[in-house]
Amino acid sequence: MEHKKNLLIVDDVTLNCEIVSEYFSSKYNIFTAQDGLSALSIVKREKLDLVITDIFMPKMDGFTLIKEIRERETVFHLPIIAITEQGEKFEIEAIRKGADDFINKPFNLELLDYRMDILLHENKGTNNYFQKLLFSFSYIKIPFAIVKLNKTEKGEYLKYQYINDAF
């Protein structure tokens, strides 16, 4: 029997959390938060596999939540999808803060599911930075990849997104 992954949904609109939770409840263990501060508390205590966060919320917005997650050594690898009804002008800011993907509200739940599967597949078995580092340099030839330098207060790290099946 396959183990369910843990999904955190962060949105200040309770109905949005309920709709997304209902759709994904058979596939994921669901955690919800109404703001970034509550979400950060969950991130600290639970082993999560994916975060979906709204951008504009009280107490702590999604931009700050994303930035906080990316600066934490134990969870910086956590896949994050940012969502908002404010339009694509906020997409670049979410990506700059460290979101892996961005979706505008209202969105199709099947599209969200597809994007979640892609992010989880990319990170499957390589959620540890040191595993990625050792794995990447254990071959003479490095496959075609998108390599992104990520900076945090604790230093810099490279993020690899392989775009072929060279390994």
Side-chain angles (χ1 to χ4, degrees), residues 11-13 34-38 55-62:
D11 199 317
D12 58 327
V13 178
Q34 302 294 307
D35 59 72
L37 277 178
S38 301
I55 295 297
F56 299 102
M57 300 175 290
K59 296 183 185 175
M60 179 190 286
D61 66 17

Side-chain angles (χ1 to χ4, degrees), residues 2-7 23-24 26-28 49-52 79-81 100-101 103 108-125 127 161:
E2 190 174 319
H3 174 69
K4 281 177 148 182
K5 295 195 178 297
N6 293 330
L7 170 64
Y23 187 84
F24 290 108
S26 64
K27 194 172 179 179
Y28 296 93
D49 296 291
L50 183 68
V51 174
I52 300 170
I80 302 170
I81 298 176
D100 296 290
D101 202 350
I103 298 180
N108 180 303
L109 287 167
E110 287 182 54
L111 173 63
L112 178 60
D113 189 22
Y114 176 76
R115 289 186 172 181
M116 290 165 59
D117 283 345
I118 288 172
L119 283 176
L120 289 170
H121 177 72
E122 285 177 355
N123 290 334
K124 187 177 182 182
N127 281 345
Q161 177 181 358

Side-chain angles (χ1 to χ4, degrees), residues 108-164:
N108 180 303
L109 287 167
E110 287 182 54
L111 173 63
L112 178 60
D113 189 22
Y114 176 76
R115 289 186 172 181
M116 290 165 59
D117 283 345
I118 288 172
L119 283 176
L120 289 170
H121 177 72
E122 285 177 355
N123 290 334
K124 187 177 182 182
T126 57
N127 281 345
N128 183 307
Y129 165 68
F130 297 106
Q131 287 176 346
K132 288 181 182 178
L133 185 65
L134 291 172
F135 186 71
S136 299
F137 292 102
S138 63
Y139 292 88
I140 295 171
K141 293 182 180 180
I142 296 176
F144 293 104
I146 297 170
V147 180
K148 182 169 63 170
L149 179 64
N150 291 311
K151 297 179 182 181
T152 67
E153 290 179 2
K154 295 183 180 189
E156 299 176 341
Y157 67 93
L158 294 175
K159 180 177 179 182
Y160 296 90
Q161 177 181 358
Y162 294 106
I163 56 175
N164 66 10

Side-chain angles (χ1 to χ4, degrees), residues 9-22 32 54 83 85 105 107 109:
I9 303 163
V10 189
D11 199 317
D12 58 327
V13 178
T14 305
L15 183 60
N16 291 342
C17 286
E18 290 172 358
I19 290 169
V20 177
S21 294
E22 176 66 27
T32 61
D54 191 12
I83 57 174
E85 65 281 340
K105 291 181 186 178
F107 52 83
L109 287 167

